[in-house]
Amino acid sequence: MNITVWGINYAPELTGIGPYNQALCEHLSANGHSVRMVTGFPYYPSWKKQPADKRAIYRTERMGNVTVHRCRQYVPRRPSGKTRILHELSFVAASFLRQLFLPRPDVMVVVSPPLLLGAAAWLLTLLKPAPFCFHVQDLQPDAALGLGLLKRGWLTRALYALEALAYRKADRVSGISEGMLQAFASKGVPKLKIVYFPNGVTIPEPETIPRPGAFRDRNGIAKDVFLAAYSGNLGVKQGLDVLIEAARRMQTCKIRILISGDGARRESLMRLVKNHGLENVLMLPLQPEEHYREMLVDIDLAVITQETGTGQFFFPSKLLRTLAFGKPVLTVADETSELSGALGMGRFGVNVEPNQPGRIADAIQELSQQSDLQKFGAAGRNFVQQFEFDRVLTDFEVMLRRMRPQTLRQYKTPSLWIIERNDLRIQPQSD
């Protein structure tokens, strides 16, 4: 099949949605499909373009067997609710124009955010009929309201209307967690259209795991120091201030907090560390792949934080990579969040509610004294098997094959198809 994947993030971005879009494209290409990625220029999570990309409008390149069409997008220096909307609007407009001059695919996968790509995809199918799957990585309007980035008013009503339009016009609506699927149903998406498509992970083979000690040696961290680490996007919804406050309460302990990553709040977090004089906090940039793997080997505890009120609207897929390396996890999330729910099922660590730095400090200290932390790591590695990339992507590919127009009977309009019930919900296979 000729497949177009349409989304703002792609390689060489190391975190966020980009790696999952890349994995999907490469899997489909490796299985004989002609794959085209329509995306933006790399900017995430630093919110900065590369110097060579700043004046570029369009560029076509080949990455492996995937043809990548890059489209100009506005990237704000200081992301906010309104500037993010302008950022996404610029990409939607530029990429829609680029799509007009590309061949019609057999099927499209449209990745949100940006939310507006759903409406753009529907308009495109009126001109170039093709079924599309609207794949949701983040319930944007809900999350923006939960974080206080937007207030209820005409703008949020417009966003919810665009969300409803995307769900109505898409041939499939897929989400990365069970909570998302429930949200789709509550928003009126027919169950027959809903698809479970979680983010995946590569389970490392023992011989591919880096030797212990390389990361600590490089960064001057003694072997007997208990190392708790957060790695990924440093944004608003991660709520990392509370981790720094917890570190302030543990300055006399033989515990070190590592924060590795980039994002909109990096500078403010660094100021907090400096103002408090926290020698037990190490801040590093986002690590390249080899160093990231070495970091996962050398840390004693992974910490994943969420701002209160947002955990029902997105799922931090960094969790999967951590569990694949057999590391115990401290989650900081609402009890009703997807993250807390996953921990409850997998029993791979401990959860603390947000905005409680004292309890976070206590939990880290208690975990540092446990001699059987390996039990959490083993439980996590067992839990994460269901998200192994080949399994997840193969199931999704089966669903895309069933969406192909030649296998469906058209009804009334090019974007509405009669679909068999058993074609719709593809879940990871059980062990």
Side-chain angles (χ1 to χ4, degrees):
M1 290 194 299
N2 294 314
I3 301 173
T4 292
V5 181
W6 189 1
I8 198 170
N9 301 107
Y10 197 69
E13 293 176 352
L14 296 174
T15 188
I17 299 172
Y20 300 106
N21 287 345
Q22 180 185 9
L24 173 61
C25 289
E26 291 180 351
H27 174 87
L28 294 172
S29 175
N31 283 274
H33 302 285
S34 176
V35 182
R36 178 169 59 235
M37 181 74 206
V38 179
T39 189
F41 289 92
Y43 72 95
Y44 189 83
S46 64
W47 288 86
K48 293 179 182 178
K49 287 184 183 179
Q50 298 297 317
D53 299 336
K54 288 184 177 180
R55 295 187 179 182
I57 299 176
Y58 293 107
R59 179 187 301 151
T60 299
E61 56 194 55
R62 192 80 172 168
M63 298 185 70
N65 290 322
V66 179
T67 301
V68 180
H69 298 278
R70 298 199 183 272
C71 307
R72 185 178 181 86
Q73 81 275 44
Y74 159 68
V75 178
R77 291 183 179 179
R78 296 181 179 179
S80 65
K82 292 182 180 179
T83 58
R84 285 173 187 262
I85 290 174
L86 293 175
H87 159 71
E88 294 183 2
L89 269 173
S90 67
F91 172 73
V92 171
S95 59
F96 181 83
L97 290 174
R98 187 70 185 96
Q99 291 272 35
L100 293 177
F101 295 93
L102 296 175
R104 181 180 68 84
D106 295 318
V107 64
M108 286 195 299
V109 180
V110 181
V111 183
S112 173
L115 172 64
L116 298 176
L117 276 188
W122 169 62
L123 290 174
L124 185 66
T125 62
L126 297 179
L127 303 171
K128 296 183 174 184
F132 75 94
C133 173
F134 189 58
H135 179 53
V136 181
Q137 287 272 1
D138 194 336
L139 290 166
Q140 274 190 299
D142 297 325
L145 284 171
L147 286 168
L149 295 175
L150 293 176
K151 296 182 179 180
R152 292 192 179 277
W154 69 268
L155 182 56
T156 54
R157 288 195 297 272
L159 290 175
Y160 277 119
L162 287 167
E163 181 186 52
L165 175 68
Y167 294 162
R168 188 167 64 251
K169 297 300 182 180
D171 298 271
R172 304 288 196 282
V173 179
S174 59
I176 64 173
S177 69
E178 290 290 346
M180 276 192 178
L181 305 190
Q182 294 171 14
F184 296 155
S186 70
K187 291 171 184 283
V189 181
K191 290 184 179 180
L192 295 179
K193 289 176 66 169
I194 296 174
V195 176
Y196 180 46
F197 179 31
N199 288 331
V201 66
T202 299
I203 310 295
E205 297 295 334
E207 63 271 16
T208 68
I209 297 176
R211 68 173 181 85
F215 180 83
R216 288 182 180 246
D217 291 345
R218 185 183 307 110
N219 292 285
I221 303 170
K223 294 181 180 179
D224 61 344
V225 169
F226 187 86
L227 185 58
Y230 170 90
S231 179
N233 182 37
L234 310 183
V236 175
K237 64 185 180 183
Q238 281 70 38
L240 284 163
D241 300 54
V242 73
L243 184 57
I244 291 175
E245 177 58 27
R248 192 176 70 83
R249 302 175 183 222
M250 297 187 293
Q251 293 185 77
T252 60
C253 304
K254 207 166 186 178
I255 294 172
R256 199 161 188 187
I257 302 297
L258 167 65
I259 299 176
S260 172
D262 208 340
R265 299 211 63 247
R266 180 176 174 81
E267 291 184 5
S268 62
L269 293 172
M270 291 181 68
R271 282 196 298 271
L272 273 177
V273 172
K274 183 178 180 181
N275 291 341
H276 290 311
L278 300 180
E279 295 183 0
N280 62 336
V281 177
L282 173 63
M283 291 201 66
L284 295 177
L286 196 67
Q287 298 294 288
E289 175 63 18
E290 180 181 356
H291 292 178
Y292 177 68
R293 290 168 58 85
E294 291 173 348
M295 182 191 75
L296 288 176
V297 169
D298 277 0
I299 65 174
D300 298 297
L301 176 70
V303 182
I304 301 178
T305 60
Q306 290 182 336
E307 188 60 87
T308 186
T310 65
Q312 293 176 298
F313 310 127
F314 76 100
F315 182 80
S317 295
K318 64 173 70 69
L319 171 68
L320 305 180
R321 195 85 184 274
T322 300
L323 298 181
F325 273 74
K327 294 299 174 179
V329 180
L330 171 67
T331 60
V332 180
D334 295 327
E335 290 293 339
T336 57
S337 68
E338 293 285 321
L339 181 56
S340 177
L343 186 143
M345 288 187 289
R347 300 183 181 277
F348 44 75
V350 176
N351 183 65
V352 177
E353 291 271 345
N355 300 323
Q356 300 189 49
R359 291 193 177 183
I360 294 171
D362 290 343
I364 293 174
Q365 291 178 73
E366 289 173 10
L367 288 166
S368 73
Q369 299 300 316
Q370 289 191 18
S371 58
D372 58 349
L373 274 183
Q374 294 85 352
K375 69 178 183 180
F376 288 132
R381 192 172 171 92
N382 182 61
F383 175 81
V384 83
Q385 296 292 327
Q386 64 185 303
F387 301 104
E388 199 276 327
F389 258 135
D390 283 344
R391 177 182 298 182
V392 169
L393 294 173
T394 298
D395 287 343
F396 191 70
E397 182 195 1
V398 170
M399 187 274 295
L400 291 180
R401 287 181 183 275
R402 292 171 175 172
M403 285 179 64
R404 189 175 184 178
Q406 292 90 326
T407 65
L408 303 173
R409 177 165 57 86
Q410 294 188 9
Y411 180 75
K412 291 185 179 179
T413 69
S415 61
L416 182 62
W417 312 90
I418 298 297
I419 305 167
E420 294 299 324
R421 183 184 184 95
N422 61 4
D423 285 348
L424 291 164
R425 185 175 168 85
I426 308 297
Q427 298 195 40
Q429 302 166 13
S430 59
D431 291 328

